[in-house]
Amino acid sequence: MKAVPRSRLRNRRDWTRESLAAGVRAGDKRALARAISLVEDSDPLAYEVVRDLYPETGRAYAIGITGPPGVGKSSLISALVRLLREQERTIGVISVDPSSPFTHGALLGDRIRLADHFLDPGVFIRSMGTRGHLGGLAEATLQALLAGGKELVFLETVGAGQSEVEVIGIADTVVLVLMPGSGDSVQALKAGIMEIPDVIAINKMDHPAAKTMLNEVRSILSLDRDRSWRPPIVLTDATRGENVPELWAKIEEHRAHLEAGGQLEERRRKNLAGEVFAVASGRAKAHLERAVADDPELRRLLDEVQRRELDPLTAVREIMEKVFHLGDATDGTNTR
């Protein structure tokens, strides 16, 4: 295993609460990367840094990019970043990858298709592992959106399972990317994913089935007549940059729609409340797992369930009583 240079170790120790917060405010990529790593690792310093920065956050507009794997989400983000950098907008890109079961880090690393923007000081790119969260949105991703310090933040989900649903809880505008001729895209249509997006991009517009998919999506959207905003559908080709300005125009139209109706502030308040519950749930789960691992009596309860000598609900009630001092946790009530 390659040794870590002493200079790197020293640099890690040199960061303080004040220098980290100042670096993030100044847009220093190293400071931001270090701050996010501290949050990912649940380092005590992270609490202090986030506490210092939080009152100054909330300025970035968050755009969630989701959809099945392989439809060109990273390529589309890269094309959007290129367009927006021409307008001198500052941008953060957070890609949430499936975690390694061994290291809990991101498996895919920084996205290759975003390589053109790595050296641009106006763009911050970060890949994160899901750390075991089913939906693919890590606690660290939530904090990265807070600490980004950019005008716009793109949040790309891995596009597997619950991530398409959970991205609603973070983004101001959700873009669903589909690709014609993909079985995954058809499954997305069937699974009710169409209730999620604010804007839909059908990538690889030259595909023979592109127009067919557009008509299918349009017919599904027509079934929902109660929404005040009808998600527009844009045919794109990310690799050639075709219709990317049109896609961005639709994202801007959705933002204007939210702001005009006062819905943007309402959506953000709901998202932040959800963030508190999401982070608290994650911490409670970790605490519960540690408590059970360290307590022979609680481990005995699990053994009895595994031997079918004790039912799961009784085990849950006893574990919750001992760890969290709750009453009958099986029905969500407190009988104490």
Side-chain angles (χ1 to χ4, degrees), residues 75 171 249:
S75 297

Side-chain angles (χ1 to χ4, degrees), residues 35-103:
I36 292 172
S37 294
L38 290 173
V39 174
E40 286 186 295
D41 296 335
S42 298
D43 190 289
L45 181 58
Y47 289 90
E48 299 175 358
V49 174
V50 170
R51 189 182 303 123
D52 289 344
L53 293 171
Y54 187 82
E56 304 165 32
T57 63
R59 299 185 182 94
Y61 193 82
I63 301 127
I65 307 290
T66 191
V71 296
K73 296 188 293 292
S74 295
S75 297
L76 201 55
I77 292 173
S78 181
L80 285 165
V81 169
R82 191 174 298 109
L83 172 72
L84 295 167
R85 288 300 292 145
E86 291 173 0
Q87 303 172 14
E88 299 185 352
R89 312 282 290 273
T90 57
I91 301 162
V93 180
I94 309 298
S95 295
V96 184
D97 290 332
S99 289
S100 161
F102 304 106
T103 65

Side-chain angles (χ1 to χ4, degrees), residues 155-171:
L155 173 63
E156 178 188 2
T157 73
V158 70
Q162 286 287 101
S163 60
E164 290 92 347
V165 177
E166 292 189 359
V167 73
I168 299 177
I170 295 178

Side-chain angles (χ1 to χ4, degrees), residues 54 57 146 169 267-277:
Y54 187 82
T57 63
L146 298 176
R267 180 177 283 209
R268 287 180 170 179
R269 287 173 64 88
K270 182 179 178 181
N271 289 352
L272 288 171
E275 178 187 335
V276 172
F277 285 113

Side-chain angles (χ1 to χ4, degrees), residues 205-225:
M205 58 189 290
D206 288 342
H207 192 285
K211 292 288 178 65
T212 301
M213 171 167 259
L214 185 146
N215 291 330
E216 288 175 352
V217 172
R218 187 172 285 156
S219 65
I220 292 172
L221 293 176
S222 67
L223 298 175
D224 185 359
R225 297 185 175 89

Side-chain angles (χ1 to χ4, degrees), residues 117-138:
H117 310 292
F118 284 163
L119 300 180
D120 186 341
V123 180
F124 178 80
I125 299 171
R126 175 81 172 197
S127 283
M128 295 179 176
T130 59
R131 300 293 174 109
H133 293 252
L134 276 178
L137 298 181

